[in-house]
PDB file of all heavy atoms in Angstrom:
ATOM      1  N   ARG A1056     -15.550 -13.657  15.454  1.00 94.00           N
ATOM      2  CA  ARG A1056     -15.427 -12.586  14.467  1.00 94.00           C
ATOM      3  C   ARG A1056     -16.752 -12.367  13.741  1.00 94.00           C
ATOM      4  O   ARG A1056     -17.137 -11.231  13.434  1.00 94.00           O
ATOM      5  CB  ARG A1056     -14.325 -12.913  13.460  1.00 94.00           C
ATOM      6  CG  ARG A1056     -12.925 -12.846  14.034  1.00 94.00           C
ATOM      7  CD  ARG A1056     -11.891 -13.341  13.024  1.00 94.00           C
ATOM      8  NE  ARG A1056     -11.877 -12.529  11.823  1.00 94.00           N
ATOM      9  CZ  ARG A1056     -11.174 -11.411  11.668  1.00 94.00           C
ATOM     10  NH1 ARG A1056     -10.418 -10.970  12.662  1.00 94.00           N
ATOM     11  NH2 ARG A1056     -11.212 -10.735  10.530  1.00 94.00           N
ATOM     12  N   ALA A1057     -17.463 -13.450  13.460  1.00 92.00           N
ATOM     13  CA  ALA A1057     -18.721 -13.345  12.729  1.00 92.00           C
ATOM     14  C   ALA A1057     -19.754 -12.537  13.495  1.00 92.00           C
ATOM     15  O   ALA A1057     -20.637 -11.913  12.887  1.00 92.00           O
ATOM     16  CB  ALA A1057     -19.271 -14.740  12.425  1.00 92.00           C
ATOM     17  N   GLY A1058     -19.642 -12.521  14.816  1.00 92.00           N
ATOM     18  CA  GLY A1058     -20.596 -11.774  15.621  1.00 92.00           C
ATOM     19  C   GLY A1058     -20.493 -10.271  15.457  1.00 92.00           C
ATOM     20  O   GLY A1058     -21.400  -9.541  15.865  1.00 92.00           O
ATOM     21  N   ALA A1059     -19.418  -9.797  14.846  1.00 94.00           N
ATOM     22  CA  ALA A1059     -19.246  -8.354  14.684  1.00 94.00           C
ATOM     23  C   ALA A1059     -20.298  -7.768  13.755  1.00 94.00           C
ATOM     24  O   ALA A1059     -20.757  -6.637  13.943  1.00 94.00           O
ATOM     25  CB  ALA A1059     -17.851  -8.052  14.138  1.00 94.00           C
ATOM     26  N   GLY A1060     -20.672  -8.500  12.731  1.00 93.00           N
ATOM     27  CA  GLY A1060     -21.704  -8.029  11.809  1.00 93.00           C
ATOM     28  C   GLY A1060     -21.227  -7.021  10.784  1.00 93.00           C
ATOM     29  O   GLY A1060     -21.999  -6.570   9.943  1.00 93.00           O
ATOM     30  N   VAL A1061     -19.954  -6.646  10.852  1.00 94.00           N
ATOM     31  CA  VAL A1061     -19.370  -5.702   9.897  1.00 94.00           C
ATOM     32  C   VAL A1061     -17.979  -6.210   9.538  1.00 94.00           C
ATOM     33  O   VAL A1061     -17.393  -7.023  10.264  1.00 94.00           O
ATOM     34  CB  VAL A1061     -19.263  -4.270  10.480  1.00 94.00           C
ATOM     35  CG1 VAL A1061     -20.646  -3.703  10.794  1.00 94.00           C
ATOM     36  CG2 VAL A1061     -18.384  -4.258  11.728  1.00 94.00           C
ATOM     37  N   PRO A1062     -17.402  -5.735   8.440  1.00 93.00           N
ATOM     38  CA  PRO A1062     -16.033  -6.153   8.095  1.00 93.00           C
ATOM     39  C   PRO A1062     -15.050  -5.718   9.186  1.00 93.00           C
ATOM     40  O   PRO A1062     -15.147  -4.621   9.735  1.00 93.00           O
ATOM     41  CB  PRO A1062     -15.759  -5.411   6.781  1.00 93.00           C
ATOM     42  CG  PRO A1062     -17.111  -5.118   6.209  1.00 93.00           C
ATOM     43  CD  PRO A1062     -18.004  -4.880   7.382  1.00 93.00           C
ATOM     44  N   LEU A1063     -14.129  -6.606   9.492  1.00 95.00           N
ATOM     45  CA  LEU A1063     -13.087  -6.321  10.483  1.00 95.00           C
ATOM     46  C   LEU A1063     -11.797  -6.069   9.702  1.00 95.00           C
ATOM     47  O   LEU A1063     -11.167  -6.991   9.198  1.00 95.00           O
ATOM     48  CB  LEU A1063     -12.934  -7.495  11.451  1.00 95.00           C
ATOM     49  CG  LEU A1063     -14.197  -7.794  12.270  1.00 95.00           C
ATOM     50  CD1 LEU A1063     -14.051  -9.092  13.058  1.00 95.00           C
ATOM     51  CD2 LEU A1063     -14.513  -6.639  13.220  1.00 95.00           C
ATOM     52  N   VAL A1064     -11.434  -4.809   9.620  1.00 95.00           N
ATOM     53  CA  VAL A1064     -10.409  -4.393   8.660  1.00 95.00           C
ATOM     54  C   VAL A1064      -9.161  -3.841   9.345  1.00 95.00           C
ATOM     55  O   VAL A1064      -9.092  -3.736  10.567  1.00 95.00           O
ATOM     56  CB  VAL A1064     -10.986  -3.328   7.701  1.00 95.00           C
ATOM     57  CG1 VAL A1064     -12.119  -3.919   6.884  1.00 95.00           C
ATOM     58  CG2 VAL A1064     -11.497  -2.107   8.488  1.00 95.00           C
ATOM     59  N   HIS A1065      -8.172  -3.503   8.501  1.00 96.00           N
ATOM     60  CA  HIS A1065      -6.907  -2.905   8.945  1.00 96.00           C
ATOM     61  C   HIS A1065      -6.099  -3.845   9.819  1.00 96.00           C
ATOM     62  O   HIS A1065      -5.384  -3.410  10.734  1.00 96.00           O
ATOM     63  CB  HIS A1065      -7.148  -1.578   9.671  1.00 96.00           C
ATOM     64  CG  HIS A1065      -7.956  -0.606   8.875  1.00 96.00           C
ATOM     65  ND1 HIS A1065      -7.645  -0.244   7.577  1.00 96.00           N
ATOM     66  CD2 HIS A1065      -9.098   0.067   9.179  1.00 96.00           C
ATOM     67  CE1 HIS A1065      -8.531   0.614   7.129  1.00 96.00           C
ATOM     68  NE2 HIS A1065      -9.436   0.815   8.074  1.00 96.00           N
ATOM     69  N   VAL A1066      -6.195  -5.148   9.534  1.00 97.00           N
ATOM     70  CA  VAL A1066      -5.426  -6.147  10.262  1.00 97.00           C
ATOM     71  C   VAL A1066      -4.932  -7.210   9.283  1.00 97.00           C
ATOM     72  O   VAL A1066      -5.468  -7.356   8.185  1.00 97.00           O
ATOM     73  CB  VAL A1066      -6.265  -6.835  11.369  1.00 97.00           C
ATOM     74  CG1 VAL A1066      -6.696  -5.844  12.433  1.00 97.00           C
ATOM     75  CG2 VAL A1066      -7.470  -7.541  10.773  1.00 97.00           C
ATOM     76  N   ALA A1067      -3.921  -7.938   9.691  1.00 96.00           N
ATOM     77  CA  ALA A1067      -3.448  -9.098   8.948  1.00 96.00           C
ATOM     78  C   ALA A1067      -2.971 -10.123   9.962  1.00 96.00           C
ATOM     79  O   ALA A1067      -2.351  -9.778  10.969  1.00 96.00           O
ATOM     80  CB  ALA A1067      -2.323  -8.723   7.987  1.00 96.00           C
ATOM     81  N   SER A1068      -3.268 -11.385   9.706  1.00 96.00           N
ATOM     82  CA  SER A1068      -2.945 -12.447  10.650  1.00 96.00           C
ATOM     83  C   SER A1068      -1.677 -13.174  10.228  1.00 96.00           C
ATOM     84  O   SER A1068      -1.506 -13.526   9.062  1.00 96.00           O
ATOM     85  CB  SER A1068      -4.108 -13.442  10.734  1.00 96.00           C
ATOM     86  OG  SER A1068      -3.877 -14.391  11.752  1.00 96.00           O
ATOM     87  N   MET A1069      -0.802 -13.399  11.189  1.00 95.00           N
ATOM     88  CA  MET A1069       0.450 -14.107  10.986  1.00 95.00           C
ATOM     89  C   MET A1069       0.413 -15.443  11.734  1.00 95.00           C
ATOM     90  O   MET A1069      -0.303 -15.581  12.727  1.00 95.00           O
ATOM     91  CB  MET A1069       1.619 -13.273  11.519  1.00 95.00           C
ATOM     92  CG  MET A1069       1.860 -11.967  10.777  1.00 95.00           C
ATOM     93  SD  MET A1069       2.584 -12.255   9.138  1.00 95.00           S
ATOM     94  CE  MET A1069       1.298 -11.542   8.099  1.00 95.00           C
ATOM     95  N   PRO A1070       1.194 -16.444  11.300  1.00 95.00           N
ATOM     96  CA  PRO A1070       1.219 -17.731  12.011  1.00 95.00           C
ATOM     97  C   PRO A1070       1.917 -17.625  13.358  1.00 95.00           C
ATOM     98  O   PRO A1070       3.034 -17.101  13.445  1.00 95.00           O
ATOM     99  CB  PRO A1070       1.981 -18.659  11.057  1.00 95.00           C
ATOM    100  CG  PRO A1070       2.749 -17.754  10.163  1.00 95.00           C
ATOM    101  CD  PRO A1070       1.965 -16.489  10.046  1.00 95.00           C
ATOM    102  N   TYR A1071       1.252 -18.105  14.387  1.00 96.00           N
ATOM    103  CA  TYR A1071       1.802 -18.112  15.753  1.00 96.00           C
ATOM    104  C   TYR A1071       2.882 -19.179  15.869  1.00 96.00           C
ATOM    105  O   TYR A1071       2.981 -20.098  15.039  1.00 96.00           O
ATOM    106  CB  TYR A1071       0.667 -18.384  16.738  1.00 96.00           C
ATOM    107  CG  TYR A1071       0.988 -18.173  18.200  1.00 96.00           C
ATOM    108  CD1 TYR A1071       1.110 -16.891  18.723  1.00 96.00           C
ATOM    109  CD2 TYR A1071       1.129 -19.255  19.065  1.00 96.00           C
ATOM    110  CE1 TYR A1071       1.376 -16.689  20.076  1.00 96.00           C
ATOM    111  CE2 TYR A1071       1.389 -19.067  20.413  1.00 96.00           C
ATOM    112  CZ  TYR A1071       1.514 -17.776  20.914  1.00 96.00           C
ATOM    113  OH  TYR A1071       1.777 -17.592  22.257  1.00 96.00           O
TER     114      TYR A1071
END
Side-chain angles (χ1 to χ4, degrees):
R1056 290 173 61 86
V1061 297
L1063 298 172
V1064 297
H1065 306 308
V1066 297
S1068 187
M1069 295 287 119
Y1071 191 74

